[in-house]
């Protein structure tokens, strides 16, 4: 039976990398995918006045699986991030971001790191209020940190680790400074860890973790992290293995999954046809796996990795000369 997927082009390079990704998925899947377009992001805001129309949320709730291009978030004002809203409204509490060594030049070898980022609360999703007289503004933040959020995130992370044959988990926290929520997250993580005796677990302060990721990334396997810390450290992980152009991601809830690359809308290269579609394609491979199309997922991932190994077959961000379409054709030839 044909499976359906909701797709959102998003902004900037979104349309270019989504077109390439859909073409590859269509080539790989025998029965094909029924693609259902939904709108979100800055372009959607400019045309409809709403960056995240209710129809988009309804389509995702109905079809359960979605893939999204990056969406622009205006800085210093304007509408609330579509990503934050999607994750909160659909309760996509897990931000799953794997980074593994692809053998690219000037990158780290033997890295196999997966970030499990808390996706719906914490510093990244806090409320900001400006207080104080004009001329002397103060900003107050209200952030939520719950035992339940860390408990269910850690549960997903430990199950993932076991399924992948991974043996070590690290909770990344800042509990020497944020003693209260740091402790809440620590205890919830430890409670889950106690039910997985086959997996070792430890805790790291986020600043030390930043340093360790640069000096000894191969020593870590799965990082369970607060929302804002996870946003930052998952980009560090991406940088170790080839950058934002190659790092995939997924936002997972209990029964809804939304796949997207870690990178943003890249306004500096948008519309030039030179974006690297690898990150979204690898996100799509994760999506096929999630949908039970395991062989198709493996075949697609293998072809992408094989293509990247050829130094004549890379996009500009990886020092190559191919544009998005040429790179996609090279992958299709390698399927
Ligand atoms: P960005 O990830 O868009 O770009 C950072 C740098 O990486 C740029 O030099 C860009 O050209 C390059 N880059 C990113 N993806 C690439 C790709 N696939 N191929 C080749 N080069 C690539 O981050 P930036 O500039 O901080 O953010 C731009 C916009 O994207 C902002 O509005 C931001 O809020 C939004 N954003 C959206 C995300 C999402 O929808 N998931 C995630 C991150 C940022």
């Amino acid at each position: 039976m044909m499976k359906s997927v909701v797709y959102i082009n998003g902004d900037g390079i979104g349309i270019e990398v989504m077109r390439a990704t859909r073409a590859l998925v269509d080539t790989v899947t025998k029965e094909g995918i029924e693609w259902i377009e939904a709108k979100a992001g800055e372009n959607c805001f400019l045309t409809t006045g709403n960056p995240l129309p209710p129809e988009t949320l309804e389509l995702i709730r109905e079809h359960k699986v979605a893939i999204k291009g990056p969406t622009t978030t205006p800085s210093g004002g304007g509408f609330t991030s579509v990503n934050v809203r999607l994750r909160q409204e659909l309760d996509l509490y897990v931000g799953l971001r794997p980074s593994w060594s692809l053998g690219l030049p000037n990158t780290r070898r033997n890295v196999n790191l997966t970030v499990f980022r808390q996706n719906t609360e914490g510093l990244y999703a806090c409320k900001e209020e400006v207080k104080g007289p004009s001329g002397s503004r103060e900003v107050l933040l209200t952030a939520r940190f719950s035992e339940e959020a860390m408990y269910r995130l850690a549960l997903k992370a430990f199950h993932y680790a076991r399924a992948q044959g991974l043996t070590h988990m690290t909770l990344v926290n800042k509990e020497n400074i944020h003693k209260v929520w740091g402790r809440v997250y620590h205890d919830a993580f430890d409670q889950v860890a106690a039910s997985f005796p086959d997996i070792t677990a430890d805790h790291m302060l986020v600043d030390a973790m930043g340093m360790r990721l640069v000096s000894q990334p191969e020593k870590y396997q799965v990082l369970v992290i607060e929302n804002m810390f996870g946003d930052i450290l998952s980009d560090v992980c991406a940088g170790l293995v080839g950058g934002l152009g190659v790092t995939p991601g997924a936002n997972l809830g209990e029964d809804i999954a939304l796949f997207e690359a870690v990178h943003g809308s890249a306004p500096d290269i948008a519309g030039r046809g030179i974006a690297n579609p690898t990150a979204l394609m690898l996100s799509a491979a994760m999506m096929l796996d999630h949908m039970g199309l395991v062989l198709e997922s493996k075949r697609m991932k293998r072809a992408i990795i094989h293509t990247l190994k050829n130094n004549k077959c890379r996009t500009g961000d990886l020092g190559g000369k191919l544009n998005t379409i040429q790179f996609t054709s090279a992958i299709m030839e390698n399927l």
Side-chain angles (χ1 to χ4, degrees), residues 156-326:
K156 282 257 190 206
F158 275 87
H159 278 301
Y160 172 91
R162 188 177 269 169
Q164 300 286 323
L166 299 169
T167 52
H168 188 67
M169 312 283 291
T170 305
L171 173 70
V172 184
N173 217 342
K174 189 66 185 171
E175 62 189 291
N176 55 336
I177 301 298
H178 297 286
K179 296 179 196 294
V180 185
W181 69 258
R183 193 73 220 173
V184 167
Y185 272 15
H186 180 128
D187 291 346
F189 176 83
D190 279 3
Q191 203 185 335
V192 177
S195 339
F196 290 81
D198 49 322
I199 299 172
T200 54
D202 65 1
H203 309 93
M204 282 286 291
L205 296 177
V206 63
D207 43 341
M209 190 75 241
M211 192 269 290
R212 291 280 183 89
L213 280 179
V214 175
S215 61
Q216 305 173 295
E218 61 290 336
K219 293 222 158 135
Y220 297 88
Q221 296 183 359
V222 182
L223 311 181
V224 178
I225 318 191
E226 187 272 340
N227 200 343
M228 179 73 94
F229 299 161
D231 181 51
I232 298 164
L233 289 193
S234 56
D235 275 24
V236 175
C237 296
L240 295 169
V241 299
L244 293 170
V246 298
T247 312
N251 302 284
L252 308 173
E254 288 309 328
D255 63 344
I256 297 178
L258 170 68
F259 296 83
E260 65 176 334
V262 169
H263 65 74
S265 55
D268 53 339
I269 57 165
R272 292 167 55 195
I274 58 168
N276 185 352
T278 300
L280 193 65
M281 288 174 169
L282 290 173
S283 309
M286 288 166 72
M287 177 182 84
L288 294 182
D289 190 51
H290 170 86
M291 294 163 73
L293 299 171
V294 179
L295 291 178
E296 289 84 346
S297 164
K298 280 197 179 136
R299 196 169 153 230
M300 198 165 125
K301 195 171 150 187
R302 226 181 285 132
I304 296 166
I305 292 171
H306 182 74
T307 307
L308 285 171
K309 286 202 191 311
N310 180 347
N311 61 12
K312 295 203 173 68
C313 279
R314 295 187 193 132
T315 46
D317 57 312
L318 300 178
K321 292 200 166 78
L322 299 194
N323 63 30
T324 312
I325 293 176
Q326 291 164 333

